[in-house]
Amino acid sequence: MKSGSNLEKILKAGHFAFTGEVGPPRGANVEALREKVSYLKGNVDMANITDNQTAMVRMSSWAASMICMQEGVEPNFQMVCRDRNRLAMQADILGAYAHGIRNMLCLSGDHQQFGDHPQSKGVFDLDSMQLIGMVKKMRDEGKFLGGADIDVPPQIFIGAAANPFAEPFEWRVHRLAKKVAAGADFIQTQCVFNMGRIRDWVSQANDMGLTDKIAILPGITPMKSVGMAKYMKNKVPGMDVPDEIIKRLQGVDKKKVADEGIKIACEQIEEFKEMKGVAGVHLMAIEWEHKVPEIAERAGVLPRPEV
Amino acid sequence: MIVAERKPFDEIKNMVSGYKKVLTVGCGTCVAVCLAGGSKEVETLNAELNLAFGKDKIEFGAETVERQCDMEFLEELDSKVDEYDALVSMACGAGIQFLAERFPNKPVFPAVNTSFIGVNLDVGWYEEKCRACGTCVLGLTGGICPVTMCAKSLFNGPCGGTNQKSCEIDKEQPCAWYKIHERLAGQGRLDQIIEISPPNDWSNQKPRKIIQPGYEERVKALGR
């Protein structure tokens, strides 16, 4: 065991992992956060706690991760390269580990221009690949990036993101290979809507032997409305929403669109359960946390195994 | 070259108001080429200032030296600045500071914002190309700078926001890493970016000096 986290144990035992996501509040509203987390309790193996997502200031991800833990859900502490230099990153990793955090997701972070402080200085001292390598060095070598010994190294299960949909497509699997080489233990992908693309990408990863070394959890986001689908297709960078998805949502009664969105998500999860090289799924029910119990139920991933 | 753009007129006007005699100093090198601070721009600025203040209120002089980043050329001004009570520099930030260092008793005001190290795309049209990070990786990245051309300065890009050949910040901005991949693929050199680039040595985080090999003794003798 690298970290002994619940997610690591689930994957090691060969269970199909099911992870969720919670965005910390835009303020110190602890009750709102506890409520969001409560919908995930018992329904997911671990919840990602986002780090100033879309470059908007929120409660810090490590602090919200601790509250998540208090509520009985294992957190996945997200860390972006935008807001911290290598000193602050290592300090927060030690602090988070000291408080019991065992999973991390290492990300570049959305550009600061998208958020509520577009004038800010983006740090990007390290990139996500280098952050992964740094956490691995801290864990496996017990050394800081600068080379000095760590007095009690942090045992972190290292996560990374992947976008299987961006161009050039043939480069995507090589980028995954780089993250494996850097030391990632698991991958959570960009929201999947184009199943053809991800089938090809996972099959390439299988052929390169990558899926033996890393657990891949495709990202699932149920569409709440036709407007959301169109927004994600046209406005969100890196998103690949095929027209069939929009047509399918448009084809049902207006009151049933959200239900159809969940149906599509469940169909995707069913396919991933059978897909060689896929170890689970990551559910990003954006501002829809209260639907997680229903989605988990309908996706047939309950009860979550105790490990 | 170093590319600059003139400051908003009102900002310049506010800085010099209250002085009687002001010398506007142009620079004949980078800022002249990029049409921000050469002798022509000195003339234009002075004409605008004269119009705004009236000739009897402030008198504006004009001088343009070859390079304000070189004491040899600033020396030409030694006999001229005494009669002025303030200087306006249209050089880049380096030139402005060297001018202020040459004449420490005179207030020196910047008339341009120094923007970037860049290239000439066409007359009046420039693009940033280098951040002077001090650790050049262009040999690995097909001659395209990821520090400058990637909005996040990623060494192992692209990020998840790469968007149909474009950067997530703007559809008009190409994704640097898409371009790097394209160029290296064309040269059959993709193996260059298979390896992980280690964390960068940001040597541009402190004031830097360079003494070229062979000049150490000379610098020592100067005692500076």
Side-chain angles (χ1 to χ4, degrees), chain B residues 18-23 81-87 105-107:
Chain B
Y19 293 97
K20 294 282 174 234
K21 212 170 167 194
V22 176
L23 178 65
V81 298
D82 275 353
E83 55 179 302
Y84 292 95
D85 47 16
L87 307 178
N105 299 322
K106 300 283 178 195

PDB file of all heavy atoms in Angstrom, chain B residues 18-23 81-87 105-107:
ATOM      1  N   GLY B  18       3.589  71.130 -13.601  1.00  0.00           N
ATOM      2  CA  GLY B  18       4.263  71.700 -12.439  1.00  0.00           C
ATOM      3  C   GLY B  18       5.722  71.997 -12.710  1.00  0.00           C
ATOM      4  O   GLY B  18       6.361  72.724 -11.946  1.00  0.00           O
ATOM      5  N   TYR B  19       6.290  71.409 -13.789  1.00  0.00           N
ATOM      6  CA  TYR B  19       7.680  71.726 -14.144  1.00  0.00           C
ATOM      7  C   TYR B  19       7.689  72.834 -15.199  1.00  0.00           C
ATOM      8  O   TYR B  19       6.687  73.069 -15.885  1.00  0.00           O
ATOM      9  CB  TYR B  19       8.401  70.478 -14.648  1.00  0.00           C
ATOM     10  CG  TYR B  19       8.575  69.459 -13.535  1.00  0.00           C
ATOM     11  CD1 TYR B  19       7.678  68.405 -13.383  1.00  0.00           C
ATOM     12  CD2 TYR B  19       9.625  69.587 -12.630  1.00  0.00           C
ATOM     13  CE1 TYR B  19       7.819  67.501 -12.354  1.00  0.00           C
ATOM     14  CE2 TYR B  19       9.775  68.670 -11.594  1.00  0.00           C
ATOM     15  CZ  TYR B  19       8.869  67.626 -11.450  1.00  0.00           C
ATOM     16  OH  TYR B  19       9.013  66.739 -10.439  1.00  0.00           O
ATOM     17  N   LYS B  20       8.805  73.519 -15.291  1.00  0.00           N
ATOM     18  CA  LYS B  20       8.906  74.658 -16.224  1.00  0.00           C
ATOM     19  C   LYS B  20       9.560  74.274 -17.546  1.00  0.00           C
ATOM     20  O   LYS B  20       9.182  74.741 -18.601  1.00  0.00           O
ATOM     21  CB  LYS B  20       9.733  75.791 -15.569  1.00  0.00           C
ATOM     22  CG  LYS B  20       9.050  76.413 -14.357  1.00  0.00           C
ATOM     23  CD  LYS B  20       7.948  77.374 -14.789  1.00  0.00           C
ATOM     24  CE  LYS B  20       7.173  77.893 -13.586  1.00  0.00           C
ATOM     25  NZ  LYS B  20       5.736  77.678 -13.733  1.00  0.00           N
ATOM     26  N   LYS B  21      10.604  73.449 -17.420  1.00  0.00           N
ATOM     27  CA  LYS B  21      11.364  73.115 -18.625  1.00  0.00           C
ATOM     28  C   LYS B  21      11.642  71.608 -18.613  1.00  0.00           C
ATOM     29  O   LYS B  21      12.286  71.088 -17.694  1.00  0.00           O
ATOM     30  CB  LYS B  21      12.671  73.907 -18.621  1.00  0.00           C
ATOM     31  CG  LYS B  21      13.133  74.254 -20.016  1.00  0.00           C
ATOM     32  CD  LYS B  21      14.268  75.232 -20.040  1.00  0.00           C
ATOM     33  CE  LYS B  21      14.814  75.224 -21.471  1.00  0.00           C
ATOM     34  NZ  LYS B  21      16.092  75.853 -21.602  1.00  0.00           N
ATOM     35  N   VAL B  22      11.135  70.909 -19.590  1.00  0.00           N
ATOM     36  CA  VAL B  22      11.203  69.441 -19.596  1.00  0.00           C
ATOM     37  C   VAL B  22      11.875  68.964 -20.877  1.00  0.00           C
ATOM     38  O   VAL B  22      11.528  69.426 -21.975  1.00  0.00           O
ATOM     39  CB  VAL B  22       9.776  68.839 -19.500  1.00  0.00           C
ATOM     40  CG1 VAL B  22       9.824  67.318 -19.605  1.00  0.00           C
ATOM     41  CG2 VAL B  22       9.100  69.271 -18.195  1.00  0.00           C
ATOM     42  N   LEU B  23      12.833  68.039 -20.701  1.00  0.00           N
ATOM     43  CA  LEU B  23      13.503  67.458 -21.877  1.00  0.00           C
ATOM     44  C   LEU B  23      12.943  66.061 -22.159  1.00  0.00           C
ATOM     45  O   LEU B  23      12.982  65.187 -21.300  1.00  0.00           O
ATOM     46  CB  LEU B  23      15.022  67.365 -21.633  1.00  0.00           C
ATOM     47  CG  LEU B  23      15.834  66.736 -22.781  1.00  0.00           C
ATOM     48  CD1 LEU B  23      15.778  67.590 -24.051  1.00  0.00           C
ATOM     49  CD2 LEU B  23      17.292  66.507 -22.355  1.00  0.00           C
ATOM     50  N   VAL B  81      21.382  68.723 -20.099  1.00  0.00           N
ATOM     51  CA  VAL B  81      20.282  68.538 -19.148  1.00  0.00           C
ATOM     52  C   VAL B  81      20.214  69.612 -18.056  1.00  0.00           C
ATOM     53  O   VAL B  81      19.152  69.809 -17.476  1.00  0.00           O
ATOM     54  CB  VAL B  81      20.309  67.144 -18.470  1.00  0.00           C
ATOM     55  CG1 VAL B  81      20.147  66.046 -19.484  1.00  0.00           C
ATOM     56  CG2 VAL B  81      21.574  66.974 -17.664  1.00  0.00           C
ATOM     57  N   ASP B  82      21.323  70.274 -17.815  1.00  0.00           N
ATOM     58  CA  ASP B  82      21.351  71.240 -16.712  1.00  0.00           C
ATOM     59  C   ASP B  82      20.217  72.260 -16.772  1.00  0.00           C
ATOM     60  O   ASP B  82      19.650  72.639 -15.758  1.00  0.00           O
ATOM     61  CB  ASP B  82      22.699  71.986 -16.685  1.00  0.00           C
ATOM     62  CG  ASP B  82      23.743  71.189 -15.914  1.00  0.00           C
ATOM     63  OD1 ASP B  82      23.330  70.157 -15.319  1.00  0.00           O
ATOM     64  OD2 ASP B  82      24.922  71.575 -15.913  1.00  0.00           O
ATOM     65  N   GLU B  83      19.909  72.721 -17.971  1.00  0.00           N
ATOM     66  CA  GLU B  83      18.893  73.770 -18.112  1.00  0.00           C
ATOM     67  C   GLU B  83      17.461  73.255 -17.923  1.00  0.00           C
ATOM     68  O   GLU B  83      16.524  74.044 -17.906  1.00  0.00           O
ATOM     69  CB  GLU B  83      19.041  74.452 -19.471  1.00  0.00           C
ATOM     70  CG  GLU B  83      18.999  73.466 -20.627  1.00  0.00           C
ATOM     71  CD  GLU B  83      19.122  74.155 -21.990  1.00  0.00           C
ATOM     72  OE1 GLU B  83      18.275  75.010 -22.275  1.00  0.00           O
ATOM     73  OE2 GLU B  83      20.075  73.812 -22.738  1.00  0.00           O
ATOM     74  N   TYR B  84      17.304  71.944 -17.799  1.00  0.00           N
ATOM     75  CA  TYR B  84      15.952  71.379 -17.633  1.00  0.00           C
ATOM     76  C   TYR B  84      15.698  71.016 -16.174  1.00  0.00           C
ATOM     77  O   TYR B  84      16.621  70.637 -15.459  1.00  0.00           O
ATOM     78  CB  TYR B  84      15.785  70.128 -18.506  1.00  0.00           C
ATOM     79  CG  TYR B  84      15.797  70.465 -19.989  1.00  0.00           C
ATOM     80  CD1 TYR B  84      16.989  70.381 -20.725  1.00  0.00           C
ATOM     81  CD2 TYR B  84      14.637  70.869 -20.639  1.00  0.00           C
ATOM     82  CE1 TYR B  84      17.023  70.695 -22.069  1.00  0.00           C
ATOM     83  CE2 TYR B  84      14.658  71.190 -21.998  1.00  0.00           C
ATOM     84  CZ  TYR B  84      15.850  71.103 -22.702  1.00  0.00           C
ATOM     85  OH  TYR B  84      15.861  71.424 -24.029  1.00  0.00           O
ATOM     86  N   ASP B  85      14.429  71.086 -15.756  1.00  0.00           N
ATOM     87  CA  ASP B  85      14.167  70.667 -14.373  1.00  0.00           C
ATOM     88  C   ASP B  85      13.498  69.294 -14.290  1.00  0.00           C
ATOM     89  O   ASP B  85      13.228  68.794 -13.194  1.00  0.00           O
ATOM     90  CB  ASP B  85      13.406  71.738 -13.562  1.00  0.00           C
ATOM     91  CG  ASP B  85      12.221  72.307 -14.273  1.00  0.00           C
ATOM     92  OD1 ASP B  85      11.773  71.697 -15.262  1.00  0.00           O
ATOM     93  OD2 ASP B  85      11.730  73.360 -13.850  1.00  0.00           O
ATOM     94  N   ALA B  86      13.199  68.666 -15.432  1.00  0.00           N
ATOM     95  CA  ALA B  86      12.717  67.277 -15.426  1.00  0.00           C
ATOM     96  C   ALA B  86      12.995  66.638 -16.778  1.00  0.00           C
ATOM     97  O   ALA B  86      13.117  67.334 -17.792  1.00  0.00           O
ATOM     98  CB  ALA B  86      11.222  67.219 -15.116  1.00  0.00           C
ATOM     99  N   LEU B  87      13.102  65.305 -16.765  1.00  0.00           N
ATOM    100  CA  LEU B  87      13.336  64.561 -18.013  1.00  0.00           C
ATOM    101  C   LEU B  87      12.194  63.568 -18.223  1.00  0.00           C
ATOM    102  O   LEU B  87      11.699  62.957 -17.268  1.00  0.00           O
ATOM    103  CB  LEU B  87      14.657  63.778 -17.938  1.00  0.00           C
ATOM    104  CG  LEU B  87      15.941  64.537 -17.549  1.00  0.00           C
ATOM    105  CD1 LEU B  87      17.112  63.565 -17.482  1.00  0.00           C
ATOM    106  CD2 LEU B  87      16.242  65.657 -18.536  1.00  0.00           C
ATOM    107  N   ASN B 105      20.096  63.820 -10.051  1.00  0.00           N
ATOM    108  CA  ASN B 105      19.437  64.985  -9.438  1.00  0.00           C
ATOM    109  C   ASN B 105      18.190  65.431 -10.185  1.00  0.00           C
ATOM    110  O   ASN B 105      17.515  66.357  -9.756  1.00  0.00           O
ATOM    111  CB  ASN B 105      20.423  66.154  -9.353  1.00  0.00           C
ATOM    112  CG  ASN B 105      21.609  65.798  -8.485  1.00  0.00           C
ATOM    113  OD1 ASN B 105      21.441  65.114  -7.464  1.00  0.00           O
ATOM    114  ND2 ASN B 105      22.797  66.218  -8.883  1.00  0.00           N
ATOM    115  N   LYS B 106      17.918  64.794 -11.311  1.00  0.00           N
ATOM    116  CA  LYS B 106      16.763  65.203 -12.115  1.00  0.00           C
ATOM    117  C   LYS B 106      15.629  64.179 -11.991  1.00  0.00           C
ATOM    118  O   LYS B 106      15.874  62.967 -12.100  1.00  0.00           O
ATOM    119  CB  LYS B 106      17.155  65.287 -13.603  1.00  0.00           C
ATOM    120  CG  LYS B 106      18.261  66.262 -13.916  1.00  0.00           C
ATOM    121  CD  LYS B 106      17.763  67.694 -13.920  1.00  0.00           C
ATOM    122  CE  LYS B 106      18.918  68.658 -14.183  1.00  0.00           C
ATOM    123  NZ  LYS B 106      18.580  70.034 -13.851  1.00  0.00           N
ATOM    124  N   PRO B 107      14.415  64.666 -11.811  1.00  0.00           N
ATOM    125  CA  PRO B 107      13.290  63.722 -11.884  1.00  0.00           C
ATOM    126  C   PRO B 107      13.191  63.165 -13.310  1.00  0.00           C
ATOM    127  O   PRO B 107      13.291  63.943 -14.271  1.00  0.00           O
ATOM    128  CB  PRO B 107      12.062  64.591 -11.571  1.00  0.00           C
ATOM    129  CG  PRO B 107      12.603  65.871 -11.020  1.00  0.00           C
ATOM    130  CD  PRO B 107      13.985  66.042 -11.551  1.00  0.00           C
TER     131      PRO B 107
END
